[in-house]
DNA sequence: TTCTAATCGAGACGGTACGTCCCGTCTTGCC
DNA sequence: GGCAAGACGGGACGTACCGTCTCGATTAGAA
């Protein structure tokens, strides 16, 4: 929808319609910034489109011209936020350090309070909205699972893991304990926890592969 | 709040106020049933107190006489729902089978769609409401962590795990991968997954304890 | 719709539903007063429901609980205003003085700036809304035409006018020149004008009857 | 404002600016036509500038380049409409037939539904806008009153009316009953009504002059 | 003919008001 | 006092227009 086209953005607009008017990047930026700020202050449920518009110095219609609903806007914003921080598959040369790097990467992204807030909020909507669920899976979860898969593959190639290892399990173990702890338990996860977790995951993967 | 006093309940009322009338159990039950039904149909965010009252054939005031807010009601309801299904520490005589039983227990509770819906919904509010966070931790998370701790202690007593094992890690590993998968990824978790997970956790705990 | 039932009004409410809640007279009164005030200040087209609600210290919903739209509200209010000032057929014993009294009565009602404002405003809507047109004719115009008819009949009974006189013409002549002058030309109409008009109408009726 | 300059119109443009472009007659015509059509369909209050622009296949700016507001446009359009049908003072040689001709002329103009619609709509605005009121009086009412005055003067010159006759009364009687009937009562006015009215006015003027 | 400036269609912009929905509270009359 | 019904003040929703502004693409008068 409002995923800015890079070419257009250089021209200060986002869409090019022959003879028509284009959404203005400055306005989109102001809205985006205001939305993230409101989100950080009040959370998804309490956030109002009117407050975002007011904060951005923008009419409500400018929001609805870009997104068809409050939820649509948040979905798009979180998509941008997580895409801007795409996880790179770490390649440190050893499974253990790869795991540690991956866990640190997940932690780093979830430590952003706005990302955490929006993800938590969207979880509540997933059941009601298949499109939202798909987006979350595709844009948020898949790249992270892919990174986990790559990490496992590299370990197999190095001979650290047998080829029979369960790749899905690997993805779950890299994301879930940390995610659960940070998003749900509101718990902290220091370097020691990550180190312990990396050790456990490594052993778990090897054991489950047999 | 409205946590029904057992004594009063046997008398058909819930609270006893000197000289006044008591909240009627029939009304409370009708509300509870209606609330769970609405919850299952529309989810937390879209659920309205007015719809609950209408469905229960009850005035809105009857709801607010029992709970001080929509969120308060849901918190209380989910508390009841999870307390009705308190996890017993499994004692099968072996760590692996204990883990398998615990994972199955977690799966069983999260398989209830209303429980899943409310939990997901409440996650969104956790950041804004410390009391809610506390309740969720105390009533929902702690008993489950306690069960995981007991399971680990039994394994230590049997000599299956060294005494140095990380109990917190154990709790995380029992709850998180399954919870993440079911609540967030909307994924399924069949017996094979649980078996694999149990194997991985067992190995992970042993490795991390060293 | 909100035409207050006298019985209920004495009880402070307007509608009585078994077991239900009734619209409160105090609120209705506050809205009515605020609406007339806004009307007088800004006119129909520029008047906003939000301003009325604000001025009345009332939620917008309170307005829409009583009337289904801005226009519906105004129609109802003007109906009340003109019904509260129903014209009595004058009976002074002579056609000329009856005419003079009738003209003065019309002038008195149109001199109310809120009545004048609302009538002018509603005229603009008449074409688009048959129900509104009907209401205006039935509630506003008919009683006034009936008064004119009675006046003519009395004159016939007294022998001042022949039985063949055109009653419709009489009604037009009593209402139209004054109404046009006051509503449309924004002109004033002093006693001398009324006297002249009464003389002209009397002669006109006699001439047209022949 | 945008009252087309006849000279420029012959050249296909309306205004001449040094070095620049002029408002194009084709565009103005398309707007005018679309505006009257929208007016006829939806009335003044419900008519939107956006709908006019869309219907005319024109940008909104083209409208606002010509008129400064919706009301300004309508005022201008109705001015054109009534000026295109300027009343000529009838001169049939007798007061009665002059009156009959004048009444028929008024009827003819008010029978145009767009004219009737716009006049009704503008009445609602008169109180709020002095300039509009002035325009309506000057452009719409004055020529008609002037025609009535001329008619009366001719009758005086012929000796049909005494010099003391009230000219204002004459104008009121020629315009008001018909206008009221047609604009406000939505009533019809056939030839018989006009004949009766002419008779009554003639007698009324003579009586009131004494 | 070439330059150049205002007009053009399209529609985004900041606003205001619409009529709707729901929150949590209050009011009424019955039990 | 609880209860059913639902009105209350409040606030956000998403929509429709207002009158203005911004594009790039004509278009026509002046050079």
């Amino acid at each position: 929808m409002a995923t800015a086209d890079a070419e257009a953005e250089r021209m200060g607009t986002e869409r090019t319609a022959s003879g028509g008017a284009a959404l203005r990047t400055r306005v989109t930026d102001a809205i985006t910034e205001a939305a993230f700020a409101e989100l950080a202050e009040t959370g998804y449920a309490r956030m109002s489109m009117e407050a975002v518009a007011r904060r951005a110095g923008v009419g409500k219609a400018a929001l609805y011209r870009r997104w068809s609903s409050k939820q649509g806007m948040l979905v798009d914003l979180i998509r941008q936020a997580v895409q801007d921080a795409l996880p790179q598959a770490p390649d440190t040369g050893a499974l253990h350090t790869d795991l540690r790097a991956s866990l640190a990467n997940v932690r780093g992204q979830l430590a952003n309070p706005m990302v955490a807030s929006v993800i938590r909020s969207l979880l509540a909507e997933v059941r009601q909205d298949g499109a939202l669920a798909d987006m979350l899976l595709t844009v948020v979860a898949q790249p992270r699972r892919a990174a986990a898969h790559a990490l496992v593959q590299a370990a197999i190639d190095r001979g650290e893991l047998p080829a029979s290892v369960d790749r899905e399990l690997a993805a779950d173990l890299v994301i879930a304990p940390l995610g659960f702890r940070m998003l749900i338990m509101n718990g902290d996860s220091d370097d020691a926890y990550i180190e312990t977790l990396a050790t456990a995951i490594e052993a778990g993967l090897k054991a489950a592969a047999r």
Side-chain angles (χ1 to χ4, degrees), chain A residues 194-209:
Chain A
I194 284 187
E195 182 59 35
T196 304
L197 198 49
T199 304
I201 293 172
E202 187 177 359
L205 288 179
K206 286 176 180 166

Side-chain angles (χ1 to χ4, degrees), chain A residues 25-108:
Chain A
T25 307
R26 308 184 60 110
V27 171
T28 303
D29 291 347
I31 294 173
T32 303
E33 192 175 350
F36 275 122
E38 286 289 321
L39 220 36
E41 284 179 15
T42 64
Y44 173 95
R46 305 199 199 305
M47 194 204 80
S48 82
M49 295 297 261
E50 304 205 324
V52 171
R54 217 176 303 129
R55 185 173 204 138
V58 139
K60 263 204 298 181
L63 276 66
Y64 286 100
R65 235 173 260 126
R66 288 169 171 74
W67 302 281
S68 63
S69 68
K70 176 179 166 182
Q71 181 174 297
M73 182 177 89
L74 273 308
V75 167
D76 199 54
L77 290 184
I78 197 61
R79 170 156 53 191
Q80 285 177 236
V82 296
Q83 277 179 340
D84 288 355
L86 267 182
Q88 59 279 35
D91 190 2
T92 59
L95 175 57
H96 188 80
T97 45
D98 274 6
L99 282 170
R100 197 197 289 142
S102 272
L103 290 169
N105 181 277
V106 168
R107 180 178 62 178

Side-chain angles (χ1 to χ4, degrees), chain A residues 82-196:
Chain A
V82 296
Q83 277 179 340
D84 288 355
L86 267 182
Q88 59 279 35
D91 190 2
T92 59
L95 175 57
H96 188 80
T97 45
D98 274 6
L99 282 170
R100 197 197 289 142
S102 272
L103 290 169
N105 181 277
V106 168
R107 180 178 62 178
Q109 296 195 21
L110 296 183
N112 179 336
M114 285 185 296
V115 170
S117 171
V118 180
I119 287 183
R120 273 191 279 238
S121 305
L122 292 180
L123 292 181
E125 303 292 326
V126 159
R127 253 189 72 236
Q128 307 302 320
D129 185 341
L132 171 57
D134 289 350
M135 189 289 285
L136 277 179
L137 289 180
T138 306
V139 179
V140 182
Q142 287 306 347
R144 275 132 198 98
R145 299 189 83 79
H149 292 168
L151 176 155
V152 168
Q153 189 58 50
I156 294 172
D157 293 346
R158 279 190 302 261
E160 290 189 86
L161 286 176
S164 65
V165 73
D166 186 332
R167 284 164 177 76
E168 287 306 307
L169 180 64
D172 282 358
L173 289 177
V174 169
I175 300 172
L178 252 185
F180 214 77
R181 200 179 186 87
M182 295 184 71
L183 291 179
I184 292 167
M185 300 299 297
N186 256 354
D188 55 314
S189 24
D190 54 18
D191 289 345
Y193 181 76
I194 284 187
E195 182 59 35
T196 304

